[in-house]
Amino acid sequence: MKTSEVPRAVAAGMSTASALGLRVDDAVVVHDSNRIAVRLLPCDVLARVAYVAHQAGAKFEVEVARRLAQTDSPVAEPEPRVEPRVYVRGDFAVTLWKYYEPVPSRDIAPSEYAQVLERLHAGMRQIDVTAPHFTDRIAQAQSLVGNRAHTPELPDTERELLSKTLRNLRRAVEGRGAGEQLLHGEPHPGNLLRTKRGLLFVDLETCCRGPVEFDIAHAPQEVSEYYPAANQDLLRDCRILVLAMIATWRWDRDDQLPNGRQLGAEWLSQIRAALDRHDAGGSDGAQ
């Protein structure tokens, strides 16, 4: 979120909680990207504040989290003292969540990561929600790559690389005809919190339907060793596809991630190396 907008966004979160009867004397921004997360005190609630144009995604996230909480899935839950929904306050869409006190950080063992991701997938198989297909997210990346106005700093050679990779790997993944279910969509380490309650996934607005290999591809490489039933060829394709998607987001002119362009350049180099290994393995997915 633009720095100039943060004070107003914080105020929107505070006033929303206060109007619902929660005591709010102070607020601390704990995360700032395309939306901000604000810890409200002393009620100890986490307010997620986005631009009102993104309220559909916020509504979807709350509904998925509410349903998953009923299955005891490892996810952050909406704040139980208020109605779980989106609250519009001026230019902002506000959702209120339980605040989970973080515990001292330590590395998450691959086996531990795999176990919590499997629990999440099991919970997702128990709920029925209308969700986009994972290829819709690929299409969004393809649209960005094809729109020079929205990715003005992306060099032509890199634009061609991303365009071919997204197109060909999407075709390869779809062509495998794997079984599909509800997925997190981006279960990478940044969306997995270590709390006193245990490991919890956040940011469920990216949920989509697709093969579990698409989710596994977001996790560290070692995690896949604990998924012996996963299709390894499909997982390899998904890893390159995901890398191309996240590299694309970093070249979006509106991307707010610190050092985003640097990361985008680094990931493009990784894509080239991955495609070289991919081709050496005899697969035709990215030719």
Side-chain angles (χ1 to χ4, degrees), residues 3 48 60 66 75 105 114 124 127 163 199 228 231 242 244 277:
T3 302
R48 291 180 182 163
F60 174 69
R66 183 185 68 81
V75 295
S105 179
M124 287 180 154
I127 67 173
S163 179
L199 293 172
N231 183 312
V242 166
R277 293 192 299 271

Side-chain angles (χ1 to χ4, degrees), residues 113 117 120 184-189 191-192 201 214-216 218-219:
Y113 204 123
L117 186 56
L120 177 64
H184 182 288
E186 288 188 1
H188 54 70
N191 283 335
L192 185 58
F201 281 104
F214 183 75
D215 258 5
I216 300 170
H218 286 80

Side-chain angles (χ1 to χ4, degrees), residues 78-100:
E79 170 54 47
R81 288 173 285 179
V82 300
E83 183 183 352
R85 67 177 182 86
V86 177
Y87 298 88
V88 175
R89 179 76 51 165
D91 297 330
F92 301 101
V94 181
T95 54
L96 300 176
W97 303 79
K98 283 186 178 182
Y99 177 78
Y100 296 92

Side-chain angles (χ1 to χ4, degrees), residues 258-273:
N259 302 318
R261 295 292 186 274
Q262 179 182 340
L263 287 171
E266 291 174 1
W267 289 337
L268 282 164
S269 296
Q270 291 179 29
I271 289 169
R272 284 195 169 86

Side-chain angles (χ1 to χ4, degrees), residues 113-246:
Y113 204 123
Q115 183 181 50
V116 73
L117 186 56
E118 285 182 320
R119 282 184 55 211
L120 177 64
H121 287 156
M124 287 180 154
R125 289 192 290 271
Q126 298 178 50
I127 67 173
D128 183 20
V129 295
T130 300
H133 197 251
F134 81 103
T135 54
D136 293 342
R137 305 198 64 230
I138 301 171
Q140 292 172 1
Q142 289 177 300
S143 178
L144 263 181
V145 170
N147 190 328
R148 293 178 183 273
H150 284 276
T151 51
E153 297 179 48
L154 182 61
D156 287 345
T157 54
E158 313 296 46
R159 191 180 303 277
E160 182 180 3
L161 172 65
L162 286 174
S163 179
K164 290 177 62 176
T165 302
L166 289 166
R167 180 182 67 248
N168 294 340
L169 269 298
R170 171 180 177 170
R171 184 186 304 145
V173 171
E174 287 185 289
R176 294 190 184 277
E180 298 182 350
Q181 70 155 82
L182 185 64
L183 306 173
H184 182 288
E186 288 188 1
H188 54 70
N191 283 335
L192 185 58
L193 304 181
R194 187 180 291 283
T195 72
K196 293 180 179 179
R197 183 186 148 185
L199 293 172
L200 299 176
F201 281 104
V202 298
D203 287 356
L204 298 170
E205 66 180 342
T206 56
C207 285
C208 57
R209 293 194 177 275
V212 294
E213 286 84 357
F214 183 75
D215 258 5
I216 300 170
H218 286 80
Q221 184 91 29
E222 299 79 8
V223 173
S224 63
E225 297 175 10
Y226 295 88
Y227 281 88
N231 183 312
Q232 295 303 311
D233 289 336
L234 175 57
L235 180 56
R236 180 178 58 179
D237 287 347
C238 284
R239 285 198 183 281
I240 302 174
L241 182 58
V242 166
L243 197 57
M245 291 171 64
I246 63 174

